[in-house]
Amino acid sequence: MKDKYSRRDFLKTGVGLSAAAMLTGGKSLLKAEGNEGKMRVVSSGNGLRATEKAMELLRQKKDPLDAVIAGVNIVEEDPNDRSVGYGGLPNEEGVVELDSSVMHGPTHNGGAVASLRNIKNPSKVAKLVMERTDHVLLVGKGALKFAKSHGFKEEDLLTERSRETWLRRKEGLSERDFWFPPQPEVEGGFASFFEYHGTINCCAIDSMGNLAGVTTTSGFFFKIPGRVGDSPIIGAGLYVDNDIGAAGSTGRGEANILNCGSFQVVNFMGMGNSPEEACLKALEQIANTSKRLPHLLNDDGRPQFGLNFYAINKKGEYGGATMWSGSRYAVHDGKENTRKPCAYLFERKRR
Ligand code: ASP
């Protein structure tokens, strides 16, 4: 196993550049200059349809936030993506609870919802929180009431497939309850604590150099009801600074919240790092702080969870990085819509 990014380099540049950031407020190093033709959309690996849609809207000069939200709505509404919206995997009681945040660069405003039940498009509700309230984050019943008062219809978000997955997990939990174990012919095993999660993040820069982003998820499968991940937390699952860039994340939300990951990525870009370097630095930081929580570490003392960052800067440069090799991100660079491999901190051992 090889560390792609050396800790020494990280400390060296990290410390030096932190000082630079304090002097510049982390903001002055990237300038908006002639972005026409530099429209970009970056998303998590499940976001190829989102990047396509968002680029289509950017070409029509739509606001970048509307563009990325329309992009992720496709995935929120897709029953086959079980990490987001309709068909998302439920909490331990079999209820789908959704989290989402949006951030709009030009106004430096944001909105978010957490633990929202029965509404397919939490990202649209998050945008309304931003536009129609003086708040940033609404949760649970309050978020649902707010959505309904804006005309959103309640729907059952649990698909048959997700319900079956949930039931198998429940039946397989312990030998000391009253549930019989799952029938052997049922395909698929039981997800471990670190499996069966996912999210979509999508960030864009338009032809004027304006940035925006959205992150939306059903969070961890079998989470404790009420658990909120990083996706609706501005600074963790998403952050946009219109002078610097935008970043978002997927993966273990708890680690990300504890390190303000997306904020860090944007901050590192503001210090002059490329989007890919910035994502790697944020991951390095998280890998280091996670060493203090032994249950998160593998036998080599490395984080045994997955975490990914995706970023675009003011110049239209973009990148993605992951804790463990093997992930990809989606990008539309104005010409081509494709998936690219994420840079990585640690190389995954072949099994
Ligand atoms: N970040 C999401 C959360 O913690 C889950 C994921 O992306 O896999 O809720």
Side-chain angles (χ1 to χ4, degrees):
M1 195 178 304
K2 161 175 152 284
D3 292 5
K4 179 85 177 170
Y5 198 80
S6 100
R7 178 174 155 71
R8 217 157 147 225
D9 284 349
F10 167 70
L11 288 175
K12 201 170 55 191
T13 47
V15 170
L17 291 170
S18 291
M22 280 160 69
L23 292 175
T24 62
K27 280 201 170 189
S28 63
L29 299 178
L30 297 172
K31 293 268 180 289
E33 40 187 52
N35 254 339
E36 191 65 50
K38 285 210 177 165
M39 296 180 289
R40 305 276 186 268
V41 188
V42 170
S43 182
S44 38
N46 55 348
L48 209 56
R49 288 172 296 166
T51 48
E52 182 73 45
K53 179 73 188 176
M55 183 56 75
E56 183 191 317
L57 295 177
L58 289 184
R59 286 186 179 129
Q60 296 166 20
K61 306 279 180 218
K62 295 278 192 281
D63 183 273
L65 185 54
D66 291 330
V68 290
I69 291 175
V72 302
N73 287 164
I74 298 170
V75 183
E76 285 177 331
E77 287 161 19
D78 178 357
N80 294 318
D81 189 310
R82 301 204 298 159
S83 67
V84 176
Y86 177 56
L89 286 168
N91 66 20
E92 68 178 14
E93 290 173 356
V95 180
V96 181
E97 285 184 334
L98 304 175
D99 297 341
S100 179
S101 63
V102 302
M103 204 165 168
H104 184 240
T107 50
H108 200 79
N109 202 359
V113 288
S115 295
L116 177 63
R117 299 179 173 194
N118 296 348
I119 303 290
K120 248 184 198 169
N121 296 118
S123 60
K124 287 186 183 170
V125 186
K127 183 171 181 243
L128 280 172
V129 172
M130 177 184 95
E131 289 174 338
R132 305 297 297 272
T133 79
D134 187 35
H135 303 316
V136 173
L137 173 61
L138 295 182
V139 305
K141 284 183 187 156
L144 177 60
K145 268 192 188 168
F146 174 79
K148 284 168 68 178
S149 65
H150 279 278
F152 284 82
K153 297 273 170 294
E154 282 197 76
E155 295 171 73
D156 184 2
L157 303 181
L158 194 66
T159 55
E160 269 307 285
R161 196 165 156 233
S162 292
R163 185 192 57 73
E164 277 169 17
T165 305
W166 168 79
L167 185 64
R168 278 209 299 281
R169 171 77 173 252
K170 192 159 178 71
E171 288 173 336
L173 268 186
S174 107
E175 290 167 5
R176 291 161 61 194
D177 58 29
F178 293 104
W179 295 82
F180 290 138
Q183 293 163 350
E185 67 269 20
V186 175
E187 54 83 22
F190 315 123
S192 85
F193 179 61
F194 294 103
E195 290 172 282
Y196 271 152
H197 54 85
T199 295
I200 181 166
N201 162 256
C202 190
C203 293
I205 183 163
D206 70 7
S207 61
M208 308 293 291
N210 285 320
L211 292 140
V214 57
T215 304
T216 175
T217 189
S218 52
F220 280 166
F221 175 38
F222 227 77
K223 62 192 176 186
I224 296 172
R227 176 264 186 188
V228 173
D230 56 331
S231 308
I233 307 296
I234 300 286
L238 179 70
Y239 192 69
V240 179
D241 182 324
N242 214 43
D243 292 337
I244 300 174
S249 106
T250 62
R252 185 180 159 80
E254 282 71 8
N256 197 20
I257 291 172
L258 291 171
N259 292 276
C260 303
S262 293
F263 174 80
Q264 287 294 12
V265 173
V266 173
N267 201 30
F268 284 132
M269 289 195 288
M271 296 172 188
N273 295 282
S274 72
E276 183 177 296
E277 285 164 356
C279 293
L280 283 166
K281 284 189 170 171
L283 287 167
E284 173 88 34
Q285 203 167 57
I286 292 170
N288 284 336
T289 57
S290 299
K291 287 187 179 143
R292 297 166 214 171
L293 295 172
H295 75 285
L296 295 178
L297 304 179
N298 68 13
D299 294 343
D300 298 326
R302 291 180 171 152
Q304 59 169 318
F305 54 83
L307 191 57
N308 311 286
F309 289 108
Y310 319 96
I312 313 186
N313 70 17
K314 190 76 179 166
K315 294 192 264 182
E317 296 163 339
Y318 56 85
T322 180
M323 188 70 81
W324 291 96
S325 60
S327 299
R328 293 191 296 168
Y329 66 101
V331 58
H332 201 314
D333 64 5
K335 294 189 194 89
E336 199 189 9
N337 190 33
T338 185
R339 282 200 191 93
K340 292 183 188 276
C342 289
Y344 57 88
L345 206 57
F346 303 121
E347 193 167 345
R348 196 182 289 278
K349 277 183 194 152
R350 292 220 179 106
R351 292 188 188 163

